Amino acid sequence: MKLSGVELRRVRMPLVAPFRTSFGTQAERELLLVRAVTPAGEGWGECVAMEAPLYSSEYNDAAEHVLRNHLIPALLAAGDLTAYKVTPLLAKFKGHRMAKAALEMAVLDAELRAHDRSFAAELGSTRDSVACGVSVGIMDSIPQLLDVVGGYLDEGYVRIKLKIEPGWDVEPVRQVRERFGDDVLLQVDANTAYTLGDAPLLSRLDPFDLLLIEQPLEEEDVLGHAELAKRIRTPICLDESIVSARAAADAIKLGACQIVNIKPGRVGGYLEARRVHDVCAAHGVAVWCGGMIETGLGRAANVALASLPGFTLPGDTSASGRFYRTDITEPFVLDAGHLPVPTGPGLGVTPIPDLLDEVTTEKAWIGS
Ligand SMILES: O=C(O)CCC(=O)N[C@@H](C(=O)O)c1ccccc1
């Protein structure tokens, strides 16, 4: 199919509560949406970059600039286009995986809608719903944390992920275990906040039977994670370090991780995300779907991805209401701790025009 043009939208959505991680606190989600227009119809993509390069080197202004000036022009010049051609066509441009992922997602959505085929069918889904975990930020106090965790358990979430950082790690985990018991599926996410020298501290998490500790060390310290894995019992899961299927294969071979968090934006798209899934499955490594506080568009695609067979751990595929009072699509609502896998063509959801316009801060059209 021919790409007629692409609309870029900057969107700002308030969060229901500030979300604090080891790299900062967010009170709203500012993101970039991509609408690919073709003669056969249109498709939507969501860029998961943040407003500032705090999680990764990407950020919204850079993503918009590289899309507008390099990535979209390359696809406009390509003539006949399919989603599977996007990554090869953009390979000459280094990095910018989240920007590339958003563009590929929009082209894939347009293509699948035109063929009346869902993301789930295309990716290889084997389930019609997925078990959902929830990510809990760093709180001002332990009592506040316990209230929030209790609320999510009451809502039915099947797994709790606690953000940790030096000074907020062992004690919050201990108190959650004491209050809610040993049966709650519990894991922690450090977002690179520790060093190998913290191994003795991190080994104090071992008695709490955590599912995993996510990305304790910095993104590029793969060998450090392999060394840490010899010093703590809690399984190590990597997030920021896994930027491709190749990176996953290398990290697994080096013993740097026993579990992988797959985020399509971080690895360059949903097609590469499936390759990461396949590589991990080939090594017997469990995966789960990470979240980047997506709107219902990215959430729909993530739930489809999370329904592949290797996704054996609950992901950060929470309900829309975890972060947003009003989503820009029909909201995803938890049902007995699960979300249904969208079955409609493409993403299976579309933005509700009035709601999207309310949160749009700027628009740009690139194309004929
Ligand atoms: O459930 C969600 O969508 C958020 C899950 C979550 O904690 N995401 C974190 C992370 O470090 O993984 C994050 C959010 C936004 C941006 C970067 C990272």
Side-chain angles (χ1 to χ4, degrees):
M1 65 187 183
K2 175 93 180 77
L3 185 62
S4 306
V6 174
E7 178 188 77
L8 297 179
R9 275 182 183 246
R10 300 295 288 268
V11 161
R12 181 180 299 134
M13 296 170 66
L15 301 184
V16 293
F19 183 58
R20 183 177 158 195
T21 69
S22 64
F23 55 78
T25 301
Q26 291 177 257
E28 55 190 18
R29 186 69 166 103
E30 299 179 276
L31 44 85
L32 177 65
L33 296 182
V34 176
R35 181 168 64 91
V37 177
T38 78
E42 65 182 40
W44 288 90
E46 179 167 345
C47 180
V48 296
M50 296 177 63
E51 195 60 1
L54 297 171
Y55 165 80
S56 77
S57 61
E58 296 194 67
Y59 60 102
N60 291 329
D61 286 346
E64 179 176 355
H65 187 275
V66 74
L67 279 160
R68 187 193 282 253
N69 294 282
H70 302 286
L71 306 183
I72 294 168
L75 298 193
L76 289 171
D80 185 45
L81 185 65
T82 70
Y84 288 80
K85 291 182 179 177
V86 170
T87 292
L89 283 167
L90 301 182
K92 63 184 178 183
F93 303 112
K94 306 304 182 198
H96 297 284
R97 288 182 173 90
M98 294 176 180
K100 290 174 177 178
L103 189 50
E104 181 192 80
M105 178 180 167
V107 173
L108 182 58
D109 186 30
E111 190 174 346
L112 291 175
R113 285 180 198 269
H115 292 89
D116 194 21
R117 184 166 168 77
S118 69
F119 257 65
E122 184 65 21
L123 293 175
S125 170
T126 54
R127 273 169 274 168
D128 56 17
S129 70
V130 298
C132 299
V134 65
S135 179
V136 180
I138 294 166
M139 299 279 158
D140 294 334
S141 72
I142 298 277
Q144 183 194 16
L145 174 71
L146 297 176
D147 284 348
V148 168
V149 170
Y152 288 138
L153 291 173
D154 291 345
E155 285 184 47
Y157 284 104
V158 302
R159 181 270 281 148
I160 297 292
K161 166 169 125 175
L162 303 179
K163 291 291 183 177
I164 61 171
E165 64 181 13
W168 181 271
D169 42 40
V170 177
E171 195 52 26
V173 168
R174 181 200 319 283
Q175 299 259 2
V176 165
R177 270 288 181 241
E178 278 176 12
R179 167 72 69 87
F180 301 107
D182 295 337
D183 294 339
V184 170
L185 296 182
L186 185 62
Q187 66 192 55
V188 294
D189 183 0
N191 286 115
T192 76
Y194 297 86
T195 68
L196 188 55
D198 292 316
L201 164 64
L202 296 174
S203 68
R204 289 174 50 207
L205 292 169
D206 286 346
F208 299 112
D209 191 26
L210 299 177
L211 283 172
L212 56 93
I213 176 170
E214 193 181 345
Q215 198 72 45
L217 311 182
E218 65 182 37
E219 174 180 339
E220 292 169 5
D221 194 3
V222 177
L223 288 178
H225 283 101
E227 182 55 37
L228 179 63
K230 298 172 188 165
R231 304 186 192 181
I232 66 174
R233 282 206 321 273
T234 304
I236 291 176
C237 171
L238 291 179
D239 169 359
E240 287 89 335
S241 299
I242 310 298
V243 294
S244 65
R246 177 199 300 271
D250 292 352
I252 292 165
K253 189 160 177 64
L254 288 167
C257 62
Q258 292 85 9
I259 299 168
V260 169
N261 163 338
I262 296 180
K263 291 178 176 176
R266 185 192 73 219
V267 301
Y270 284 85
L271 301 180
E272 182 69 6
R274 182 175 56 185
R275 284 190 277 271
V276 175
H277 162 272
D278 295 347
V279 162
C280 291
H283 288 82
V285 167
V287 301
W288 54 282
C289 187
M292 295 289 282
I293 316 183
E294 289 92 346
T295 73
L297 295 170
R299 201 160 298 277
N302 286 354
V303 170
L305 178 72
S307 69
L308 268 61
F311 286 81
T312 53
L313 291 168
D316 286 346
T317 50
S318 310
S320 295
R322 160 65 184 91
F323 289 103
Y324 301 118
R325 201 172 322 285
T326 306
D327 204 335
I328 58 171
T329 66
E330 284 303 315
F332 281 82
V333 178
L334 212 59
D335 175 15
H338 287 64
L339 286 181
V341 176
T343 55
L347 291 169
V349 298
T350 50
I352 298 166
D354 291 350
L355 298 179
L356 177 57
D357 287 343
E358 276 173 27
V359 295
T360 296
T361 56
E362 61 183 274
K363 282 192 283 191
W365 171 258
I366 300 100
S368 48

